[in-house]
Amino acid sequence: MFLLLYYSGINALVPTSWHTSWVPILFMILGTRYYRNAENHGFISYWQGFRVSFLTASCGAFVFATLAWIFGSYIDGNVLEEFKQRSLEAVEMTEGMMKSMVGESAYEQYIQDISEVQMSDVVIGDFNNKIVGGLLASLIVAAFLRKDPKFED
């Protein structure tokens, strides 16, 4: 997905990449359904579904973070520079409000922190966001795909 966004001119590291958030959810659903139907004889408890779904999301987040770091560090460093530029533009649009909330010195420090951000910082932040999103989505996926066995009396 990262490369599709990159070649279409969209930086996958910026918040506009939320329009692709359905991809990990699709893999979570497919992985949990496969486990339920093929490995667990058509039944899956809520917690089994949660574990499988969250493991799928975690693996996807790790693979994305690793590949994004390799791409941004060795193939095209402009991805990081574009990320910094867009972040600075977003902060500068809210300059007055931020200065009134956090003060002049904290605002200047924030600008400096954005300017000094490394690819690893961006990737770790994105990884954490994907883990939290995967956690929340796993709760929902497990609820929808849960199928307890029916025991006859």
Side-chain angles (χ1 to χ4, degrees):
M1 233 25 230
F2 183 91
L3 290 177
L4 289 175
L5 291 172
Y6 175 77
Y7 286 120
S8 65
I10 299 171
N11 189 338
L13 299 177
V14 296
T16 57
S17 67
W18 276 99
H19 62 277
T20 61
S21 61
W22 60 271
V23 174
I25 294 171
L26 175 66
F27 280 100
M28 292 163 63
I29 291 169
L30 293 174
T32 305
R33 281 186 56 207
Y34 174 80
Y35 179 80
R36 180 188 70 189
N37 296 334
E39 302 293 326
N40 221 22
H41 309 293
F43 302 106
I44 193 167
S45 71
Y46 178 80
W47 292 110
Q48 284 175 321
F50 174 78
R51 285 192 305 259
V52 170
S53 182
F54 186 66
L55 180 63
T56 304
S58 298
C59 290
F62 179 76
V63 168
F64 181 86
T66 303
L67 295 177
W69 179 78
I70 290 169
F71 187 85
S73 297
Y74 297 107
I75 298 172
D76 186 4
N78 289 333
V79 172
L80 179 62
E81 295 306 317
E82 183 181 337
F83 173 80
K84 289 180 186 180
Q85 185 62 34
R86 286 196 181 179
S87 297
L88 288 170
E89 288 171 2
V91 170
E92 288 171 358
M93 284 182 9
T94 60
E95 178 180 359
M97 181 180 69
M98 287 188 68
K99 283 182 180 179
S100 66
M101 291 175 64
V102 298
E104 179 77 30
S105 63
Y107 175 79
E108 294 300 326
Q109 180 63 40
Y110 189 60
I111 294 290
Q112 182 179 354
D113 290 345
I114 291 174
S115 300
E116 295 173 355
V117 73
Q118 300 294 315
M119 190 64 186
S120 59
D121 300 327
V122 175
V123 168
I124 289 170
D126 192 53
F127 175 79
N128 290 335
N129 290 340
K130 288 183 185 333
I131 290 293
V132 170
L135 178 71
L136 298 175
S138 292
L139 295 169
I140 297 167
V141 168
F144 279 110
L145 295 178
R146 184 185 95 203
K147 187 174 181 185
D148 293 323
K150 303 256 190 271
F151 296 107
E152 294 182 22
D153 292 332

